[in-house]
């Protein structure tokens, strides 16, 4: 098996507050980024994120944390029972009570998605756990799309991307 053609499983957090930065092995051009949590430290998939990219040094935040990306451009496959679990609560360093994006316990393939508003060069992701509740995602995968229809996963090399 060619391990370079496997999907990357990114290491997530080991606590609820420390941001963890993961850079992609290659830059992607995308209008949509999806984070697919795989494993958690608790019974809830909870996270806060920022997307990194160009211009500049290509490690710049693209607007999730500071609100440049509006709330309606953050969506998810599901949410928990509380109003504080919507997708837009998944902004990095958001400290509104115990807010973070939380997937429903019945969601078999959860994801948190950011619509970047335009085609952007994307280089990585920062993740963080849920404040005050000791919940975080320990591993995840990332996919990207130009049109919110056809998504490709981040692979170990760009020469073998798999369409979802």
């Amino acid at each position: 098996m060619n391990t370079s053609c496997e999907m990357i499983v990114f290491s997530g957090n080991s606590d609820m507050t420390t941001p963890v930065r993961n850079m992609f092995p290659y830059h992607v051009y995308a209008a949509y980024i999806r984070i697919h949590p795989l494993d958690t430290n608790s019974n809830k998939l909870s996270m806060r994120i920022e997307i990194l990219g160009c211009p500049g040094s290509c490690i710049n935040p693209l607007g999730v944390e500071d609100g440049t990306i509006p709330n309606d451009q953050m969506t998810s496959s599901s949410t928990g029972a509380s109003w504080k679990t919507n997708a837009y609560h998944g902004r990095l360093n958001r400290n509104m009570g115990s807010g973070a994006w939380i997937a429903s316990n019945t969601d078999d393939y959860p994801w948190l998605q950011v619509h970047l508003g335009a085609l952007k060069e994307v280089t990585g992701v920062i993740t963080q756990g849920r404040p005050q509740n000791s919940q975080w995602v320990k591993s995840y995968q990332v996919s990207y799309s130009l049109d919110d229809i056809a998504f490709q996963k981040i692979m170990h090399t760009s020469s073998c991307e798999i369409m979802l």
Side-chain angles (χ1 to χ4, degrees):
M1 174 180 242
N2 183 355
T3 57
S4 67
C5 285
E6 292 180 0
M7 293 174 275
I8 295 176
V9 174
F10 293 96
S11 294
N13 298 83
S14 59
D15 66 33
M16 64 188 173
T17 56
T18 306
V20 173
R21 177 187 305 247
N22 281 298
M23 303 306 291
F24 304 158
Y26 48 91
H27 297 193
V28 299
Y29 290 90
Y32 299 85
I33 297 291
R34 276 188 185 173
I35 311 299
H36 305 270
L38 300 173
D39 190 24
T40 182
N41 74 310
S42 69
N43 64 343
K44 295 189 186 298
L45 289 169
S46 307
M47 67 186 324
R48 297 176 289 163
I49 65 167
E50 175 62 271
I51 309 300
L52 302 172
C54 306
S57 62
C58 292
I59 58 169
N60 294 320
L62 294 180
V64 175
E65 179 180 8
D66 70 9
T68 302
I69 293 174
N71 288 347
D72 64 355
Q73 288 179 210
M74 294 184 69
T75 57
S76 61
S77 57
S78 65
T79 60
S82 167
W83 69 272
K84 294 180 181 178
T85 64
N86 293 329
Y88 64 84
H89 284 93
R91 295 180 187 278
L92 190 72
N93 291 317
R94 179 182 175 89
N95 279 324
M96 183 180 171
S98 60
W101 170 68
I102 302 174
S104 168
N105 288 337
T106 60
D107 191 345
D108 292 333
Y109 191 62
W111 48 261
L112 175 60
Q113 178 174 289
V114 177
H115 177 205
L116 299 170
L119 189 63
K120 305 268 177 131
E121 189 173 359
V122 181
T123 60
V125 173
I126 301 174
T127 61
Q128 193 175 37
R130 181 180 182 201
Q132 303 172 356
N133 288 81
S134 296
Q135 297 168 346
W136 57 87
V137 169
K138 298 188 323 186
S139 63
Y140 62 94
Q141 293 177 319
V142 178
S143 61
Y144 62 99
S145 174
L146 301 175
D147 57 12
D148 196 23
I149 297 169
F151 281 83
Q152 296 179 314
K153 290 244 182 170
I154 300 291
M155 309 295 281
H156 284 280
T157 180
S158 63
S159 64
C160 55
E161 295 165 352
I162 294 176
M163 297 291 285
L164 297 177

